[in-house]
Amino acid sequence: MGDDMAQPIDFYFDFSSPYGYFASAKIDEIAHRHGRNVVWRPILLGAVFKITGQRPLPSIPLKGSYTNHDLVRTARLFGLPFKLPTKFPIAGQAPSRAYYWLADRDAALARNVVQALYRAYFAEDRDISNPEVTANVAAKLGINREELLQALNDPAVKERLRGEVDSAIERGVFGSPYVVIDGEPFWGADRLDQIERWLATGGW
Amino acid sequence: MGDDMAQPIDFYFDFSSPYGYFASAKIDEIAHRHGRNVVWRPILLGAVFKITGQRPLPSIPLKGSYTNHDLVRTARLFGLPFKLPTKFPIAGQAPSRAYYWLADRDAALARNVVQALYRAYFAEDRDISNPEVTANVAAKLGINREELLQALNDPAVKERLRGEVDSAIERGVFGSPYVVIDGEPFWGADRLDQIERWLATGGW
């Protein structure tokens, strides 16, 4: 294994997760401050919730209205544009497949596309579960629209996403964002401070 | 109303909530730094979960084992002794009633009793749902054991707790710890930093 400190950290997120959106704006910056890279891994919380029996936050009595309030407040704290989308949650297949298809060829471009997709959904209320919308967002970053639309239906790309989701579940990932540092798991955008502290100190 | 800054903040917690235990060790100190007092309000999450359909964290697949790990890690971060109790969760009626009975007579003593009860449960694995155990813990702080045991069965004390739980639910409290500052709600021990920031700045 060599020097553990050089291992990249894993960042799991769902395209329907506002807290994943918030974390995506910070995670690379935090990791880089401590000499780490980040592997971004979109997953599908719908598949996870089938196992855990959880429901999307806004649908839970009492907790739902708190969450809606907390999202707006957290977005302000993070300095990010945010508006609860009209359609929420959404299926993350199209944007997630787009990511994995791109990531194998250009990891930096792929995460720029993630951030553009997240902003389209959570700041501009565009329904990125629609493959056409995902393709339009990606096209603005120079990606060939038709090639991407074909990739979204490619059995190999579909299988890639399924495999990532299965591996995540096997690893215990149950929410978004979910970060793993040298085997140590952190769940939630409100754990970014602990993530930074763990990276700085090697644990406590 | 006068000066809003002088209003006490509300601290809701369940005696079965480890994150409530963690927060109880910090909340007064945080509030006092900003010239605020805290009203402590034990509640019964069982009654809340009937409405929200939530389950105790450790019983949820995937999330449960993360939680068990996170509790130990958070206790280390907070510098508090912690051991997941053999019996968990427990019914909080006995310690909660003890608190409200005492709080009306001596608020400072009542919160010392809360901290002793929390430590008995989360550090020494003593089952404080048992009225005898709650009475033994309180007796160490000079409270008359027999008088307390009688109070735990006093219809007025029972009604007091029911009323507090109902008011909390009406207010939207769905978890523990749950803090309200001038109407602004914060859920979770991982929001203590935001609570401090809100108190310091008046919001963002």
mmCIF file of all heavy atoms in Angstrom, chain B residues 9-45:
data_model
loop_
_atom_site.group_PDB
_atom_site.id
_atom_site.type_symbol
_atom_site.label_atom_id
_atom_site.label_comp_id
_atom_site.label_asym_id
_atom_site.label_seq_id
_atom_site.Cartn_x
_atom_site.Cartn_y
_atom_site.Cartn_z
ATOM 1 N N ILE B 9 -32.830 30.058 25.269
ATOM 2 C CA ILE B 9 -33.003 29.128 24.162
ATOM 3 C C ILE B 9 -33.534 27.806 24.719
ATOM 4 O O ILE B 9 -33.354 27.497 25.894
ATOM 5 C CB ILE B 9 -31.700 28.943 23.353
ATOM 6 C CG1 ILE B 9 -30.655 28.130 24.102
ATOM 7 C CG2 ILE B 9 -31.099 30.299 22.991
ATOM 8 C CD1 ILE B 9 -29.388 27.915 23.258
ATOM 9 N N ASP B 10 -34.243 27.057 23.889
ATOM 10 C CA ASP B 10 -34.823 25.785 24.317
ATOM 11 C C ASP B 10 -33.955 24.627 23.849
ATOM 12 O O ASP B 10 -33.539 24.581 22.682
ATOM 13 C CB ASP B 10 -36.243 25.623 23.750
ATOM 14 C CG ASP B 10 -37.236 26.501 24.485
ATOM 15 O OD1 ASP B 10 -37.284 26.424 25.729
ATOM 16 O OD2 ASP B 10 -37.944 27.284 23.820
ATOM 17 N N PHE B 11 -33.714 23.688 24.759
ATOM 18 C CA PHE B 11 -32.892 22.514 24.465
ATOM 19 C C PHE B 11 -33.745 21.268 24.727
ATOM 20 O O PHE B 11 -34.019 20.921 25.871
ATOM 21 C CB PHE B 11 -31.652 22.521 25.367
ATOM 22 C CG PHE B 11 -30.849 21.253 25.351
ATOM 23 C CD1 PHE B 11 -30.380 20.711 24.166
ATOM 24 C CD2 PHE B 11 -30.539 20.593 26.548
ATOM 25 C CE1 PHE B 11 -29.627 19.534 24.161
ATOM 26 C CE2 PHE B 11 -29.777 19.429 26.558
ATOM 27 C CZ PHE B 11 -29.326 18.897 25.356
ATOM 28 N N TYR B 12 -34.203 20.638 23.631
ATOM 29 C CA TYR B 12 -35.002 19.423 23.726
ATOM 30 C C TYR B 12 -34.096 18.205 23.590
ATOM 31 O O TYR B 12 -33.200 18.188 22.735
ATOM 32 C CB TYR B 12 -36.045 19.378 22.608
ATOM 33 C CG TYR B 12 -37.079 20.483 22.677
ATOM 34 C CD1 TYR B 12 -36.883 21.689 22.016
ATOM 35 C CD2 TYR B 12 -38.244 20.316 23.412
ATOM 36 C CE1 TYR B 12 -37.829 22.710 22.078
ATOM 37 C CE2 TYR B 12 -39.196 21.330 23.487
ATOM 38 C CZ TYR B 12 -38.977 22.518 22.815
ATOM 39 O OH TYR B 12 -39.916 23.511 22.890
ATOM 40 N N PHE B 13 -34.342 17.198 24.393
ATOM 41 C CA PHE B 13 -33.535 15.974 24.311
ATOM 42 C C PHE B 13 -34.325 14.802 24.852
ATOM 43 O O PHE B 13 -35.290 14.970 25.598
ATOM 44 C CB PHE B 13 -32.234 16.140 25.106
ATOM 45 C CG PHE B 13 -32.455 16.392 26.574
ATOM 46 C CD1 PHE B 13 -32.401 15.350 27.488
ATOM 47 C CD2 PHE B 13 -32.741 17.673 27.039
ATOM 48 C CE1 PHE B 13 -32.620 15.572 28.851
ATOM 49 C CE2 PHE B 13 -32.966 17.906 28.398
ATOM 50 C CZ PHE B 13 -32.914 16.854 29.303
ATOM 51 N N ASP B 14 -33.893 13.599 24.444
ATOM 52 C CA ASP B 14 -34.482 12.368 24.946
ATOM 53 C C ASP B 14 -33.396 11.649 25.745
ATOM 54 O O ASP B 14 -32.236 11.652 25.339
ATOM 55 C CB ASP B 14 -34.948 11.521 23.754
ATOM 56 C CG ASP B 14 -35.596 10.211 24.169
ATOM 57 O OD1 ASP B 14 -34.906 9.366 24.777
ATOM 58 O OD2 ASP B 14 -36.791 10.019 23.876
ATOM 59 N N PHE B 15 -33.782 11.042 26.863
ATOM 60 C CA PHE B 15 -32.776 10.378 27.696
ATOM 61 C C PHE B 15 -32.160 9.163 27.013
ATOM 62 O O PHE B 15 -31.113 8.671 27.424
ATOM 63 C CB PHE B 15 -33.381 9.984 29.052
ATOM 64 C CG PHE B 15 -33.292 11.081 30.065
ATOM 65 C CD1 PHE B 15 -34.401 11.854 30.388
ATOM 66 C CD2 PHE B 15 -32.086 11.371 30.682
ATOM 67 C CE1 PHE B 15 -34.310 12.877 31.317
ATOM 68 C CE2 PHE B 15 -31.979 12.401 31.616
ATOM 69 C CZ PHE B 15 -33.100 13.152 31.933
ATOM 70 N N SER B 16 -32.783 8.694 25.943
ATOM 71 C CA SER B 16 -32.244 7.558 25.210
ATOM 72 C C SER B 16 -31.354 8.001 24.052
ATOM 73 O O SER B 16 -30.889 7.161 23.289
ATOM 74 C CB SER B 16 -33.415 6.754 24.627
ATOM 75 O OG SER B 16 -33.338 5.420 24.997
ATOM 76 N N SER B 17 -31.138 9.286 23.921
ATOM 77 C CA SER B 17 -30.434 9.817 22.756
ATOM 78 C C SER B 17 -28.983 10.122 23.075
ATOM 79 O O SER B 17 -28.676 11.080 23.799
ATOM 80 C CB SER B 17 -31.145 11.094 22.291
ATOM 81 O OG SER B 17 -30.292 11.886 21.499
ATOM 82 N N PRO B 18 -28.062 9.336 22.514
ATOM 83 C CA PRO B 18 -26.647 9.615 22.783
ATOM 84 C C PRO B 18 -26.223 10.989 22.275
ATOM 85 O O PRO B 18 -25.419 11.673 22.918
ATOM 86 C CB PRO B 18 -25.897 8.507 22.039
ATOM 87 C CG PRO B 18 -26.903 7.704 21.308
ATOM 88 C CD PRO B 18 -28.268 8.144 21.691
ATOM 89 N N TYR B 19 -26.776 11.414 21.142
ATOM 90 C CA TYR B 19 -26.415 12.740 20.647
ATOM 91 C C TYR B 19 -26.972 13.831 21.572
ATOM 92 O O TYR B 19 -26.399 14.914 21.686
ATOM 93 C CB TYR B 19 -26.891 12.936 19.198
ATOM 94 C CG TYR B 19 -26.182 12.019 18.218
ATOM 95 C CD1 TYR B 19 -26.835 10.944 17.626
ATOM 96 C CD2 TYR B 19 -24.834 12.214 17.901
ATOM 97 C CE1 TYR B 19 -26.189 10.093 16.736
ATOM 98 C CE2 TYR B 19 -24.177 11.370 17.017
ATOM 99 C CZ TYR B 19 -24.865 10.306 16.433
ATOM 100 O OH TYR B 19 -24.208 9.467 15.563
ATOM 101 N N GLY B 20 -28.084 13.538 22.235
ATOM 102 C CA GLY B 20 -28.598 14.444 23.265
ATOM 103 C C GLY B 20 -27.631 14.538 24.438
ATOM 104 O O GLY B 20 -27.381 15.620 24.976
ATOM 105 N N TYR B 21 -27.096 13.376 24.832
ATOM 106 C CA TYR B 21 -26.081 13.333 25.897
ATOM 107 C C TYR B 21 -24.878 14.186 25.522
ATOM 108 O O TYR B 21 -24.412 15.025 26.318
ATOM 109 C CB TYR B 21 -25.706 11.869 26.118
ATOM 110 C CG TYR B 21 -24.401 11.583 26.831
ATOM 111 C CD1 TYR B 21 -24.102 12.127 28.083
ATOM 112 C CD2 TYR B 21 -23.472 10.709 26.246
ATOM 113 C CE1 TYR B 21 -22.902 11.818 28.728
ATOM 114 C CE2 TYR B 21 -22.279 10.398 26.884
ATOM 115 C CZ TYR B 21 -21.990 10.960 28.124
ATOM 116 O OH TYR B 21 -20.810 10.652 28.752
ATOM 117 N N PHE B 22 -24.385 14.025 24.294
ATOM 118 C CA PHE B 22 -23.219 14.798 23.866
ATOM 119 C C PHE B 22 -23.525 16.307 23.923
ATOM 120 O O PHE B 22 -22.738 17.101 24.444
ATOM 121 C CB PHE B 22 -22.786 14.415 22.442
ATOM 122 C CG PHE B 22 -22.431 12.953 22.268
ATOM 123 C CD1 PHE B 22 -22.613 12.320 21.039
ATOM 124 C CD2 PHE B 22 -21.925 12.203 23.327
ATOM 125 C CE1 PHE B 22 -22.286 10.973 20.870
ATOM 126 C CE2 PHE B 22 -21.598 10.853 23.169
ATOM 127 C CZ PHE B 22 -21.782 10.237 21.929
ATOM 128 N N ALA B 23 -24.677 16.680 23.383
ATOM 129 C CA ALA B 23 -25.028 18.103 23.341
ATOM 130 C C ALA B 23 -25.223 18.674 24.743
ATOM 131 O O ALA B 23 -24.896 19.842 24.997
ATOM 132 C CB ALA B 23 -26.289 18.312 22.502
ATOM 133 N N SER B 24 -25.729 17.864 25.656
ATOM 134 C CA SER B 24 -26.005 18.354 27.015
ATOM 135 C C SER B 24 -24.727 18.798 27.728
ATOM 136 O O SER B 24 -24.768 19.606 28.646
ATOM 137 C CB SER B 24 -26.715 17.280 27.849
ATOM 138 O OG SER B 24 -25.800 16.269 28.275
ATOM 139 N N ALA B 25 -23.604 18.264 27.268
ATOM 140 C CA ALA B 25 -22.332 18.621 27.899
ATOM 141 C C ALA B 25 -21.813 19.975 27.415
ATOM 142 O O ALA B 25 -20.866 20.519 27.983
ATOM 143 C CB ALA B 25 -21.290 17.533 27.632
ATOM 144 N N LYS B 26 -22.414 20.512 26.353
ATOM 145 C CA LYS B 26 -21.883 21.731 25.730
ATOM 146 C C LYS B 26 -22.866 22.890 25.697
ATOM 147 O O LYS B 26 -22.450 24.048 25.596
ATOM 148 C CB LYS B 26 -21.503 21.432 24.257
ATOM 149 C CG LYS B 26 -20.536 20.272 24.067
ATOM 150 C CD LYS B 26 -19.111 20.774 24.006
ATOM 151 C CE LYS B 26 -18.176 19.654 23.560
ATOM 152 N NZ LYS B 26 -16.786 20.073 23.595
ATOM 153 N N ILE B 27 -24.157 22.604 25.703
ATOM 154 C CA ILE B 27 -25.131 23.631 25.321
ATOM 155 C C ILE B 27 -25.135 24.838 26.260
ATOM 156 O O ILE B 27 -25.213 25.980 25.798
ATOM 157 C CB ILE B 27 -26.556 23.016 25.156
ATOM 158 C CG1 ILE B 27 -27.504 24.004 24.497
ATOM 159 C CG2 ILE B 27 -27.110 22.498 26.482
ATOM 160 C CD1 ILE B 27 -27.184 24.311 23.063
ATOM 161 N N ASP B 28 -25.011 24.597 27.569
ATOM 162 C CA ASP B 28 -25.030 25.729 28.503
ATOM 163 C C ASP B 28 -23.822 26.644 28.281
ATOM 164 O O ASP B 28 -23.947 27.877 28.254
ATOM 165 C CB ASP B 28 -25.036 25.232 29.953
ATOM 166 C CG ASP B 28 -26.445 24.901 30.435
ATOM 167 O OD1 ASP B 28 -27.410 25.179 29.699
ATOM 168 O OD2 ASP B 28 -26.579 24.355 31.546
ATOM 169 N N GLU B 29 -22.668 26.015 28.119
ATOM 170 C CA GLU B 29 -21.420 26.759 27.913
ATOM 171 C C GLU B 29 -21.525 27.642 26.651
ATOM 172 O O GLU B 29 -21.147 28.811 26.657
ATOM 173 C CB GLU B 29 -20.313 25.716 27.774
ATOM 174 C CG GLU B 29 -18.922 26.228 27.566
ATOM 175 C CD GLU B 29 -17.986 25.060 27.172
ATOM 176 O OE1 GLU B 29 -18.200 23.923 27.663
ATOM 177 O OE2 GLU B 29 -17.089 25.301 26.335
ATOM 178 N N ILE B 30 -22.053 27.062 25.572
ATOM 179 C CA ILE B 30 -22.211 27.808 24.323
ATOM 180 C C ILE B 30 -23.170 28.985 24.532
ATOM 181 O O ILE B 30 -22.879 30.122 24.146
ATOM 182 C CB ILE B 30 -22.721 26.887 23.192
ATOM 183 C CG1 ILE B 30 -21.634 25.875 22.810
ATOM 184 C CG2 ILE B 30 -23.169 27.698 21.970
ATOM 185 C CD1 ILE B 30 -22.109 24.772 21.868
ATOM 186 N N ALA B 31 -24.302 28.708 25.161
ATOM 187 C CA ALA B 31 -25.311 29.757 25.354
ATOM 188 C C ALA B 31 -24.771 30.881 26.248
ATOM 189 O O ALA B 31 -24.937 32.066 25.939
ATOM 190 C CB ALA B 31 -26.584 29.154 25.955
ATOM 191 N N HIS B 32 -24.104 30.498 27.321
ATOM 192 C CA HIS B 32 -23.622 31.506 28.269
ATOM 193 C C HIS B 32 -22.579 32.423 27.634
ATOM 194 O O HIS B 32 -22.524 33.605 27.960
ATOM 195 C CB HIS B 32 -23.063 30.826 29.522
ATOM 196 C CG HIS B 32 -24.120 30.114 30.322
ATOM 197 N ND1 HIS B 32 -23.841 29.170 31.276
ATOM 198 C CD2 HIS B 32 -25.477 30.204 30.284
ATOM 199 C CE1 HIS B 32 -24.977 28.722 31.799
ATOM 200 N NE2 HIS B 32 -25.981 29.321 31.217
ATOM 201 N N ARG B 33 -21.781 31.858 26.717
ATOM 202 C CA ARG B 33 -20.791 32.702 26.032
ATOM 203 C C ARG B 33 -21.470 33.853 25.301
ATOM 204 O O ARG B 33 -20.847 34.859 24.998
ATOM 205 C CB ARG B 33 -20.028 31.865 24.987
ATOM 206 C CG ARG B 33 -18.712 31.313 25.486
ATOM 207 C CD ARG B 33 -17.758 30.985 24.351
ATOM 208 N NE ARG B 33 -18.164 29.868 23.517
ATOM 209 C CZ ARG B 33 -17.935 28.580 23.791
ATOM 210 N NH1 ARG B 33 -17.311 28.239 24.898
ATOM 211 N NH2 ARG B 33 -18.344 27.625 22.985
ATOM 212 N N HIS B 34 -22.754 33.676 24.966
ATOM 213 C CA HIS B 34 -23.458 34.712 24.215
ATOM 214 C C HIS B 34 -24.601 35.316 25.033
ATOM 215 O O HIS B 34 -25.583 35.800 24.465
ATOM 216 C CB HIS B 34 -23.949 34.131 22.888
ATOM 217 C CG HIS B 34 -22.806 33.576 22.081
ATOM 218 N ND1 HIS B 34 -21.950 34.381 21.376
ATOM 219 C CD2 HIS B 34 -22.336 32.314 21.944
ATOM 220 C CE1 HIS B 34 -21.009 33.628 20.808
ATOM 221 N NE2 HIS B 34 -21.222 32.376 21.139
ATOM 222 N N GLY B 35 -24.455 35.228 26.355
ATOM 223 C CA GLY B 35 -25.404 35.898 27.229
ATOM 224 C C GLY B 35 -26.787 35.291 27.262
ATOM 225 O O GLY B 35 -27.772 35.984 27.552
ATOM 226 N N ARG B 36 -26.884 34.004 26.955
ATOM 227 C CA ARG B 36 -28.192 33.349 26.951
ATOM 228 C C ARG B 36 -28.275 32.273 28.017
ATOM 229 O O ARG B 36 -27.292 31.593 28.305
ATOM 230 C CB ARG B 36 -28.424 32.659 25.593
ATOM 231 C CG ARG B 36 -28.434 33.580 24.418
ATOM 232 C CD ARG B 36 -29.724 34.384 24.370
ATOM 233 N NE ARG B 36 -29.814 35.030 23.081
ATOM 234 C CZ ARG B 36 -30.778 34.769 22.192
ATOM 235 N NH1 ARG B 36 -31.735 33.928 22.463
ATOM 236 N NH2 ARG B 36 -30.786 35.392 21.027
ATOM 237 N N ASN B 37 -29.497 32.079 28.505
ATOM 238 C CA ASN B 37 -29.770 30.903 29.330
ATOM 239 C C ASN B 37 -30.435 29.839 28.475
ATOM 240 O O ASN B 37 -30.904 30.119 27.369
ATOM 241 C CB ASN B 37 -30.651 31.283 30.517
ATOM 242 C CG ASN B 37 -29.849 32.040 31.560
ATOM 243 O OD1 ASN B 37 -28.708 31.659 31.866
ATOM 244 N ND2 ASN B 37 -30.423 33.116 32.078
ATOM 245 N N VAL B 38 -30.487 28.637 29.015
ATOM 246 C CA VAL B 38 -31.064 27.510 28.292
ATOM 247 C C VAL B 38 -32.158 26.881 29.143
ATOM 248 O O VAL B 38 -31.964 26.671 30.343
ATOM 249 C CB VAL B 38 -29.986 26.440 27.999
ATOM 250 C CG1 VAL B 38 -30.573 25.321 27.145
ATOM 251 C CG2 VAL B 38 -28.764 27.064 27.331
ATOM 252 N N VAL B 39 -33.301 26.623 28.531
ATOM 253 C CA VAL B 39 -34.337 25.842 29.205
ATOM 254 C C VAL B 39 -34.223 24.408 28.704
ATOM 255 O O VAL B 39 -34.337 24.157 27.499
ATOM 256 C CB VAL B 39 -35.754 26.389 28.908
ATOM 257 C CG1 VAL B 39 -36.808 25.537 29.617
ATOM 258 C CG2 VAL B 39 -35.858 27.842 29.345
ATOM 259 N N TRP B 40 -33.951 23.497 29.629
ATOM 260 C CA TRP B 40 -33.804 22.079 29.258
ATOM 261 C C TRP B 40 -35.174 21.418 29.265
ATOM 262 O O TRP B 40 -35.950 21.591 30.203
ATOM 263 C CB TRP B 40 -32.873 21.366 30.245
ATOM 264 C CG TRP B 40 -31.428 21.773 30.118
ATOM 265 C CD1 TRP B 40 -30.943 22.999 29.759
ATOM 266 C CD2 TRP B 40 -30.290 20.943 30.357
ATOM 267 N NE1 TRP B 40 -29.562 22.980 29.751
ATOM 268 C CE2 TRP B 40 -29.138 21.731 30.125
ATOM 269 C CE3 TRP B 40 -30.116 19.611 30.748
ATOM 270 C CZ2 TRP B 40 -27.846 21.233 30.274
ATOM 271 C CZ3 TRP B 40 -28.833 19.112 30.902
ATOM 272 C CH2 TRP B 40 -27.716 19.911 30.655
ATOM 273 N N ARG B 41 -35.465 20.640 28.220
ATOM 274 C CA ARG B 41 -36.785 20.034 28.083
ATOM 275 C C ARG B 41 -36.691 18.590 27.602
ATOM 276 O O ARG B 41 -36.729 18.335 26.389
ATOM 277 C CB ARG B 41 -37.629 20.827 27.076
ATOM 278 C CG ARG B 41 -37.875 22.286 27.474
ATOM 279 C CD ARG B 41 -38.817 22.953 26.470
ATOM 280 N NE ARG B 41 -39.023 24.360 26.726
ATOM 281 C CZ ARG B 41 -39.895 24.861 27.612
ATOM 282 N NH1 ARG B 41 -40.627 24.033 28.340
ATOM 283 N NH2 ARG B 41 -40.012 26.159 27.763
ATOM 284 N N PRO B 42 -36.583 17.635 28.529
ATOM 285 C CA PRO B 42 -36.606 16.232 28.072
ATOM 286 C C PRO B 42 -37.945 15.893 27.423
ATOM 287 O O PRO B 42 -38.999 16.367 27.860
ATOM 288 C CB PRO B 42 -36.393 15.424 29.355
ATOM 289 C CG PRO B 42 -36.647 16.364 30.491
ATOM 290 C CD PRO B 42 -36.366 17.739 29.972
ATOM 291 N N ILE B 43 -37.865 15.113 26.351
ATOM 292 C CA ILE B 43 -39.081 14.662 25.653
ATOM 293 C C ILE B 43 -38.983 13.151 25.421
ATOM 294 O O ILE B 43 -37.962 12.535 25.756
ATOM 295 C CB ILE B 43 -39.266 15.389 24.300
ATOM 296 C CG1 ILE B 43 -37.998 15.227 23.437
ATOM 297 C CG2 ILE B 43 -39.579 16.865 24.532
ATOM 298 C CD1 ILE B 43 -38.196 15.533 21.979
ATOM 299 N N LEU B 44 -40.037 12.595 24.860
ATOM 300 C CA LEU B 44 -40.063 11.154 24.589
ATOM 301 C C LEU B 44 -40.102 10.942 23.079
ATOM 302 O O LEU B 44 -41.131 11.141 22.434
ATOM 303 C CB LEU B 44 -41.290 10.511 25.245
ATOM 304 C CG LEU B 44 -41.409 10.716 26.761
ATOM 305 C CD1 LEU B 44 -42.756 10.191 27.267
ATOM 306 C CD2 LEU B 44 -40.258 10.038 27.513
ATOM 307 N N LEU B 45 -38.993 10.532 22.503
ATOM 308 C CA LEU B 45 -38.954 10.376 21.045
ATOM 309 C C LEU B 45 -39.896 9.280 20.564
ATOM 310 O O LEU B 45 -40.346 9.321 19.421
ATOM 311 C CB LEU B 45 -37.527 10.065 20.578
ATOM 312 C CG LEU B 45 -36.586 11.255 20.417
ATOM 313 C CD1 LEU B 45 -35.281 10.809 19.775
ATOM 314 C CD2 LEU B 45 -37.219 12.362 19.561
#
